[in-house]
Amino acid sequence: MRFKAQRGSRSFLPGTTTPTMGYNGDFLGPTIRVKNGQQFHADIENTLDEPTTVHWHGLHVPAKWDGGPRQVIPTGAHWKPEFTIRQPAATLWYHPHAMGLTGEQVYNGLAGLFIIDDEVSERLNIPKQYGRDDFPLIIQDRRFFQDGHFAYAQNMMDVMNGVIGNHLLVNGAEKPFLDVPREKVRFRVVNGSNSSIYRISFADERPFFQIATDGGLMEKPVTLTSLLLSAGERAEIIVDFADNNPAAGVTLLVKQFNGQLFEAMRFTSTGPAENQTDLPQDLAAINWLKESDAVRTRTFVMKTMGMDMGMMGGGGLTINGKHMDLKRIDETVKLGTTEIWEIRNSSDMMMGMPHSMHLHDVQFQILDRNGQTPEPREWGHKDTVLVMPGEVTRIIVRFADYTGIYMYHCHLLEHEDNGMMGQFEIIR
Ligand code: C2O
Ligand code: CU
Ligand code: CU
C-alpha cells in the first residue's frame, strides 16, 4: 500500500476552511485490512514540511517497524515497513508518533484504522460486511478558532488537561447520519481523540453487546448500556437495529469526562426488515496469562505535578519521576518472559488527572484495579488502559518474538508529547 502524509483542508464549520493533514486525503486515512499470517508492506511518503512517523498502534511488529519516535521519516523521505501479521483479528489503528509532534499531527487529521481478520472472525456468525453492517466509528473532538483553523494546545492548561474540544467528529464529520440495515450491526469504535475520555451510549438507552477489546475478540459478548473508552482505546460492539424507527432513528451520545454531552450521530433504517440471527455466545479463545508465570513486577508512577512546580515545557509530566529521553532506556526486559506492570496514577488531588497507559509491541491483560478484578468489559487483549487518579492498575504482559526498543506512554497525547513516555528494551 502507498501512503502519503499530506496537508489539505476541509470545511468543518459553515463558511470556513480548516487546514488539515491526512493520509492520501485531507483528513484521516484509508482503512488497512489484512489477515493474520499475511505479509504487510507499505511505502509511506512524508510530504509534510515537518518530520513524522507512522506507528501501528496495537500491532505486534519488529521494533524497527514500530513507527515510534525512533523511526523518523524526514520531509520528502519514504519509509517502507515490512512485517508479518502475527496476532488475532482486531481493530487497531495507525497514527504519527514523532517526538513532540504527535498531538498536533493527530489533531490535524493523521490517523487511520488497521483491521486484522483471522479464521475465527471469518467463521463466526457476526456482522462482517464492511460498509453494510460493519462500520468504523472514529470518535474525536476538536476546537476551532473563528476563522476555522483548529485551536490546538494554546497554553499550559491545555498541556495539563489535554486539549478537549467542543465539536465532536465521527469519521471526520460533525453529526453525520448513517442508514443501517434493520438488523444487528457491528461498530468498530475508536477513541481517536487527543486527550478525551468518552462514555458512549444511545439516546434511547438501548443495550448493546461488546465483542472485542483493544486487541481482539473477547471470549463472550458483554451486555452494556454505555461504553467507556479512554484516548487510544477501541472496542467492537454489536447493536440491534431490528426495531429502529425509520424516521426518528437512534442517536449516538458521546459524553466527555468533563460532563459535556454530544449528540454524535444518528442511525436511521429506511430499508426493509431483515432476517434476524442470534449473536454467538462463544467468540474467541483467550490464552490467559497467570500471575504465577510472571518473573517480576515493575512499578510505573504517572505523575502530574502542580502548576507551581516550574513546569513550562511540560516539566510536570513524568513516569517514575522522569521525562522521556530518547537517549535513555528506562526498562530492560528479557525476551520470552512474562511480567506484571503496576501502574500508579499519583496525580495530586487538585489536578486529579486520569491517564491512559499504552504499551507498544504487546497486548496485555488487566489483573486488577486497586485490588479488584476488572469489569467483564475489560476481559480481553488490551494495549491501552485507563488509570484514574489515585488508582493502581496491575497488568500482566508477555514479551515474545521480537527484541528491540519500544515505547510506553500516556495516550493523552499532550501528556505524551510533554514527557510522559519511556522506553523499554527487549533483550535476549
Ligand atoms: Cu497510539 Cu505510542 O501510540
Ligand atoms: Cu502504540
Ligand atoms: Cu496522562
Side-chain angles (χ1 to χ4, degrees):
M1 275 182 97
R2 293 181 76 84
F3 294 85
K4 224 181 234 191
Q6 61 193 57
R7 286 194 182 271
S9 66
R10 178 175 286 196
S11 178
F12 291 100
L13 308 179
T16 67
T17 304
T18 307
T20 56
M21 291 178 183
Y23 296 109
N24 301 353
D26 287 330
F27 195 77
L28 299 177
T31 294
I32 300 169
R33 190 141 195 183
V34 292
K35 206 177 157 180
N36 188 18
Q38 196 181 305
Q39 184 73 17
F40 172 80
H41 20 191
D43 177 340
I44 299 157
E45 184 185 358
N46 177 10
T47 72
L48 307 172
D49 42 17
E50 58 190 35
T52 192
T53 81
V54 176
H55 167 58
W56 316 105
H57 180 129
L59 271 110
H60 176 50
V61 301
K64 67 169 176 178
W65 301 128
D66 181 57
R70 306 182 72 84
Q71 288 89 39
V72 177
I73 317 173
T75 298
H78 289 250
W79 186 59
K80 297 177 181 166
E82 193 174 354
F83 48 80
T84 305
I85 308 294
R86 299 170 83 158
Q87 64 194 97
T91 300
L92 312 171
W93 62 307
Y94 61 98
H95 62 75
H97 215 306
M99 274 292 276
L101 295 170
T102 302
E104 180 221 318
Q105 292 185 354
V106 170
Y107 208 78
N108 276 304
L110 290 177
L113 224 62
F114 197 115
I115 297 177
I116 299 177
D117 299 299
D118 67 4
E119 276 83 37
V120 179
S121 69
E122 283 171 357
R123 175 178 42 82
L124 283 174
N125 185 19
I126 51 178
K128 50 177 105 116
Q129 288 176 265
Y130 201 67
R132 186 191 176 273
D133 58 14
D134 179 356
F135 299 95
L137 298 180
I138 303 175
I139 306 182
Q140 303 174 305
D141 55 60
R142 292 292 182 272
R143 276 188 328 207
F144 296 88
F145 289 119
Q146 291 243 302
D147 65 0
H149 287 234
F150 285 133
Y152 188 57
Q154 300 299 303
N155 51 43
M156 278 319 295
M157 279 311 282
D158 283 348
V159 170
M160 297 308 285
N161 297 334
V163 177
I164 311 294
N166 55 356
H167 289 264
L168 205 279
L169 308 178
V170 183
N171 300 341
E174 198 169 13
K175 281 201 189 181
F177 284 78
L178 180 65
D179 205 67
V180 290
R182 203 174 286 281
E183 58 176 312
K184 291 188 179 64
V185 174
R186 174 182 187 177
F187 295 114
R188 301 168 185 268
V189 190
V190 181
N191 181 341
S193 75
N194 277 49
S195 282
S196 290
I197 296 159
Y198 295 134
R199 189 170 281 286
I200 297 154
S201 63
F202 294 91
D204 61 2
E205 291 171 357
R206 65 179 51 217
F208 52 89
F209 306 94
Q210 181 181 358
I211 60 163
T213 50
D214 295 331
L217 291 162
M218 305 167 90
E219 284 187 327
K220 294 182 184 308
V222 174
T223 309
L224 298 173
T225 51
S226 76
L227 175 70
L228 185 68
L229 288 183
S230 74
E233 280 187 305
R234 289 90 57 213
E236 292 179 29
I237 60 170
I238 305 272
V239 187
D240 193 343
F241 288 102
D243 62 348
N244 198 8
N245 178 315
V250 182
T251 300
L252 180 78
L253 298 179
V254 175
K255 194 177 188 177
Q256 287 168 338
F257 192 58
N258 63 14
Q260 171 142 235
L261 183 68
F262 298 91
E263 293 190 353
M265 77 182 287
R266 204 145 65 86
F267 301 102
T268 53
S269 296
T270 52
E274 304 269 352
N275 282 339
Q276 297 304 313
T277 53
D278 287 332
L279 192 59
Q281 283 314 295
D282 291 300
L283 299 169
I286 291 179
N287 202 346
W288 297 104
L289 299 172
K290 285 194 301 292
E291 220 178 307
S292 55
D293 292 337
V295 296
R296 62 172 290 179
T297 297
R298 290 173 206 261
T299 304
F300 296 85
V301 181
M302 305 177 85
K303 202 167 167 82
T304 321
M305 276 200 269
M307 297 299 285
D308 53 0
M309 296 299 281
M311 39 155 315
M312 286 315 284
L317 295 160
T318 56
I319 300 179
N320 289 342
K322 297 174 287 186
H323 299 131
M324 168 67 179
D325 182 349
L326 269 175
K327 296 190 290 296
R328 186 188 66 228
I329 302 301
D330 299 279
E331 310 290 335
T332 305
V333 309
K334 223 166 148 13
L335 183 68
T337 61
T338 300
E339 296 194 358
I340 293 169
W341 284 22
E342 182 180 288
I343 305 153
R344 299 178 163 263
N345 180 340
S346 80
S347 57
D348 64 51
M349 293 316 238
M350 288 291 289
M351 304 296 293
M353 275 306 300
H355 298 294
S356 185
M357 183 64 143
H358 169 55
L359 273 62
H360 287 206
D361 176 49
V362 292
Q363 291 290 334
F364 53 78
Q365 293 160 12
I366 304 175
L367 285 176
D368 47 42
R369 262 206 185 80
N370 292 339
Q372 308 280 312
T373 308
E375 288 174 44
R377 63 182 180 84
E378 288 185 316
W379 294 359
H381 301 295
K382 296 283 296 164
D383 55 53
T384 308
V385 62
L386 177 63
V387 189
M388 292 296 285
E391 256 176 23
V392 180
T393 298
R394 289 196 319 145
I395 62 172
I396 187 162
V397 51
R398 186 172 162 77
F399 301 93
D401 305 319
Y402 307 122
T403 55
I405 303 169
Y406 297 94
M407 308 292 138
Y408 57 89
H409 59 89
C410 178
H411 218 284
L412 273 61
L413 301 182
E414 287 69 51
H415 289 183
E416 177 204 317
D417 276 342
N418 288 281
M420 203 174 252
M421 175 155 66
Q423 304 185 93
F424 67 97
E425 181 168 15
I426 305 173
I427 59 163
R428 245 174 238 290

